[in-house]
Amino acid sequence: MATSRSSPFLDPEVIKYMEDFNQLVMKEALQGGTDRKAKVIDFHIPQELEKIMKLDIGSEPETTDKMLEHCKRIIKYSVKTGHPHFYNQLYSGLEPYSLTGTWLTDALNTNIHTYEVAPVFVLIEKYLMEKMSSKIGFPDGEGIFCPGGSFSNLMAVHLARFRKCGPEIANTGLWGMPKMRLYQSDEAHYSLKKAGLFLGIGMDNVIPIATDDKGRVKADALDAQIQKDKAAGYIPLIYMATSGSTVLGCFDDLNAVADVCSKHKVWMHTDAAWGGGVLLSDKYKHLMSGVDRGDSVAWNLHKMANVPVQASAFVVKETGLLQKGNGLNAEYLFQPDKPYDTSYDIGDRSVQCGRRADAVKVWMQWKALGDSGMGERVERAYENADYFTRRLRESEGFRLVLSEFQCTNICFWYIPPCLRGKEETPEWWAKVGKVAPLIKAKMMKEGTMMIGYQPLTPKKFVNFFRIIIHNPLCDFSDMDLTVSEIKRLGDALTAEDF
Ligand SMILES: *Cc1c(COP(=O)(O)O)cnc(C)c1O
């Protein structure tokens, strides 16, 4: 006969394992991972790393000592994104409180679809959504955490379509409907195109609108495009405004956008996945002035607010629309005869069934830091970014991609000595385009630093560096070090490298 098993968490060997594990994580992932003297990355090509990692799962159980060794290896070869010299896209920094929030979420391992199984977490998510709605300026707003900003943007298109076409679209689909069009600036995130791909609207019907020299959408061009499409029989569905574009950090003029959207009754969604953090700061929230005139917002707290990945809020102005647009009232899950107000069963507001309680880590951090602490971090990032930009302006060989930056991603080329003082022909620019990848490869090999780079083909820009500054540990000395590190690695390049 089977004997009843006691909890593994009472087993002395497991207890020892968990204690050793905690110490290991504290020492090597957290303290080691934020130590300026330690490497950001211990890079190996996939074929090498595969061998190092001993991935093969055997038929016999592994000992706890061996399991600790695996954990140690996982930590050693993972990138230390909390390190003050990790400037890759688009998250960095790590706060102890949000981290414990994540751990709590997993330790209690629940699912935020019903109040029944997640009473505390449902209340936390509802509270946070009210708080974020009020920061945005939606007095009756509500929302949910989504698995990523791309998903939030997709939800915005879905709700815009539902509001425009009603249950007809929900039940019979696109058949027989006029063609629809989605709009974004040519600086905006590619996820709107994915929404077109995924929702059957078609990527050809996602129309990019031209931007000005600061990367803001030209509102008159948007107006003209919508008029033209209306005349051709299309339904203009949504404009996805950008607050903090992923590459250049541009903010659309949301009031100008809102004027066009309200004129044509087009849903205005603001993609603030990256720049939404400015709403936490009295000094910088003006960058999103007019957001309250829109219909929905995507705001990733795992980016500018340093919460662990993922923490993507999708907030809607109109109460009840998430439920109407997504709710199917599955009988096995959302029974109406529960002993509490079942409007707290928030799971049907999503297209997901089960959903992680991402709100917990956000609430833990916000609670611990207060509004002031959350805002200070954003302001500190801007101070560092302003200082860094000044340093680039006065240092030989650096060239800014825009004359001014609105966000804390700063984009620049480095022209090494071997390419300076030459005529700037297309061939010369092609060589400049090789500089960032060459320097980054050296950085990764030495493990000193990580900074992203990319070309920007619509603007005909060859590869340039894009540094993302929002780790709260960063100070001016880190900014100085970044300038000197790029110089050090770049100045070692010779004509033969090109
Ligand atoms: C990062 C980003 C997204 C996508 O967010 P994910 O959480 O990575 O899906 C969308 N828009 C902008 C502007 C972004 O920077």
Side-chain angles (χ1 to χ4, degrees), residues 355-380:
R355 202 156 57 84
R356 262 182 78 80
D358 289 330
V360 180
K361 57 191 169 189
V362 179
W363 181 82
M364 287 278 286
Q365 181 177 318
W366 207 327
K367 183 80 172 167
L369 299 180
D371 291 336
S372 62
M374 295 289 277
E376 260 164 34
R377 276 158 178 70
V378 173
E379 284 160 23
R380 192 178 166 81

Side-chain angles (χ1 to χ4, degrees), residues 90 148-150 153 189 191 244 246 271 273-274 300 302-303 310 312:
L90 212 58
S150 300
N153 292 340
H189 195 258
S191 47
T246 315
D271 176 9
W274 167 220
N300 280 357
H302 62 258
K303 289 184 173 173
Q310 277 170 325
S312 298

Side-chain angles (χ1 to χ4, degrees), residues 160-170 177 180 235 237:
R161 189 171 66 176
F162 179 80
R163 193 175 68 182
K164 192 89 179 175
C165 310
E168 198 188 333
I169 188 98
M177 286 270 168
M180 297 171 190
I235 300 179
L237 211 54

Side-chain angles (χ1 to χ4, degrees), residues 144-207:
I144 51 170
F145 276 91
C146 286
S150 300
F151 192 92
S152 301
N153 292 340
L154 184 129
M155 277 288 261
V157 178
H158 164 57
L159 284 193
R161 189 171 66 176
F162 179 80
R163 193 175 68 182
K164 192 89 179 175
C165 310
E168 198 188 333
I169 188 98
N171 293 323
T172 58
L174 285 166
W175 319 114
M177 286 270 168
K179 281 191 180 173
M180 297 171 190
R181 284 208 148 158
L182 322 177
Y183 309 90
Q184 62 180 157
S185 84
D186 60 20
E187 260 291 302
H189 195 258
Y190 66 88
S191 47
L192 193 72
K193 231 173 164 177
K194 285 213 177 177
L197 168 78
F198 207 67
L199 294 172
I201 291 168
M203 292 196 284
D204 289 352
N205 291 312
V206 181
I207 310 295

Side-chain angles (χ1 to χ4, degrees), residues 105-119:
T105 309
D106 286 347
L108 294 166
N109 188 33
T110 196
N111 197 317
I112 199 166
H113 50 25
T114 60
Y115 182 84
E116 178 181 328
V117 294

Side-chain angles (χ1 to χ4, degrees), residues 65-133:
D65 284 347
K66 280 263 160 48
M67 289 312 293
L68 278 173
E69 281 173 29
H70 294 308
C71 295
K72 218 173 157 141
R73 265 193 297 275
I74 290 174
I75 296 172
K76 179 166 165 42
Y77 296 104
S78 291
V79 174
K80 307 304 182 298
T81 64
H83 195 292
H85 302 153
F86 175 84
Y87 305 110
N88 230 57
Q89 59 200 355
L90 212 58
Y91 44 86
S92 66
L94 197 54
E95 292 285 351
Y97 302 101
S98 42
L99 184 62
T100 49
T102 294
W103 286 345
L104 257 185
T105 309
D106 286 347
L108 294 166
N109 188 33
T110 196
N111 197 317
I112 199 166
H113 50 25
T114 60
Y115 182 84
E116 178 181 328
V117 294
V120 182
F121 293 175
V122 165
L123 294 182
I124 288 177
E125 183 172 273
K126 274 174 100 71
Y127 169 78
L128 254 188
M129 287 301 161
E130 278 164 28
K131 184 155 180 88
M132 294 177 77
S133 293

Side-chain angles (χ1 to χ4, degrees), residues 2 27 67 73 75 157-158 205 211 228 442 451 468 487:
K27 207 161 146 258
M67 289 312 293
R73 265 193 297 275
I75 296 172
V157 178
H158 164 57
N205 291 312
T211 46
K228 193 171 132 208
K442 288 191 192 188
I451 307 180
I468 306 286
K487 270 177 77 67

